[in-house]
Amino acid sequence: MVHADSSTFNSGVSKSQAYEQVLEQARALFDGQRNWICNTANTASLLWHAYHALPTPSNQVNWAGFYILDPKVPNQLILGPFQGKVACQTIKFGRGVCGAAAQSGETQLVPDVELFPGHIACDSESQSEIVVPILKDGKVVAIIDIDCAAKDGFNHDDQRHLEQLATLLADGCDW
Ligand code: SME
C-alpha cells in the first residue's frame, strides 16, 4: 500500500542510509506499477525529501527530477516529473550537463557548474550538478538531474547510488 510516509527520512541518517531508503522505497513503489510517469514522479519526491533530511551540502539541493527522451524530436530531452522550481522544457543532446549525459550515456559529476562549458543555467542559484543517464538496452531513455545551491554538492557516493537508482528505473518502468 502506497503511503506518504515513504517520503519521511529521519534526520541524522547518513547519505548512504538515505539512498538505501530511496532504493528500498522505490523498489516497493515499482512493484506492480511500471508506468514511467508515475514512477519517476514518486522517485523525484523520494530524492527531494532524502536530500533535505541530510546535512549540508545535500540539504541545499534545489532541483531533483527527470528529463525524458522527447518522443516528437530526435536527439532531444523533454522535461519530466521533478521537485523544485520551473525548469527548461527541452534540451538538445550535447547541450549543457543534461545533454552531455544524454549524448555520452555517462554520468556527469559537476562540482562547479560555472566551469562546465555550455552549462544551461535554468536557475542561477544552482552551483553544482549531477546527471545520471537511464539506459535501456544500451540506449538513453531518460536522465536523472540533481542540482545543488552549493558547490561540490555531490561526490562518488552520490554517483554510485544514483546509478543504482537509474538501473532500477530502467528495469522497473515501461519506457
Ligand atoms: N543545468 C542543466 C539544465 C537543467 S536544469 O538544471 C533543471 C544543464 O546544464 O543541462
Side-chain angles (χ1 to χ4, degrees), residues 95-113:
R95 286 214 51 230
V97 187
C98 294
Q103 191 160 60
S104 65
E106 284 170 13
T107 296
Q108 307 292 308
L109 179 53
V110 183
D112 181 349
V113 293

Side-chain angles (χ1 to χ4, degrees), residues 1-113:
M1 169 73 176
V2 175
H3 196 279
D5 281 348
S6 299
S7 290
T8 302
F9 293 79
N10 292 330
S11 59
V13 290
S14 70
K15 187 150 78 175
S16 286
Q17 286 169 328
Y19 276 120
E20 287 307 326
Q21 188 180 331
V22 168
L23 288 161
E24 190 185 314
Q25 293 298 341
R27 265 183 224 109
L29 288 163
F30 302 173
D31 186 17
Q33 177 54 261
R34 295 190 55 82
N35 182 283
W36 70 262
I37 299 176
C38 179
N39 288 347
T40 55
N42 270 335
T43 303
S45 169
L46 290 174
L47 288 169
W48 181 262
H49 289 282
Y51 291 124
H52 288 93
L54 290 172
T56 200
S58 302
N59 64 1
Q60 292 188 67
V61 162
N62 61 336
W63 203 89
F66 296 87
Y67 280 86
I68 315 298
L69 206 62
D70 191 330
K72 297 219 167 128
V73 182
N75 298 322
Q76 180 166 288
L77 298 167
I78 188 158
L79 184 62
F82 68 94
Q83 303 261 320
K85 291 185 184 169
V86 164
C88 315
Q89 292 160 307
T90 58
I91 299 175
K92 297 264 183 228
F93 276 34
R95 286 214 51 230
V97 187
C98 294
Q103 191 160 60
S104 65
E106 284 170 13
T107 296
Q108 307 292 308
L109 179 53
V110 183
D112 181 349
V113 293

Side-chain angles (χ1 to χ4, degrees), residues 63 67 87 91 96-98 119-120 122 129 145 147:
W63 203 89
Y67 280 86
I91 299 175
V97 187
C98 294
H119 166 253
I120 304 163
C122 289
E129 181 163 2
D145 180 20
D147 289 12

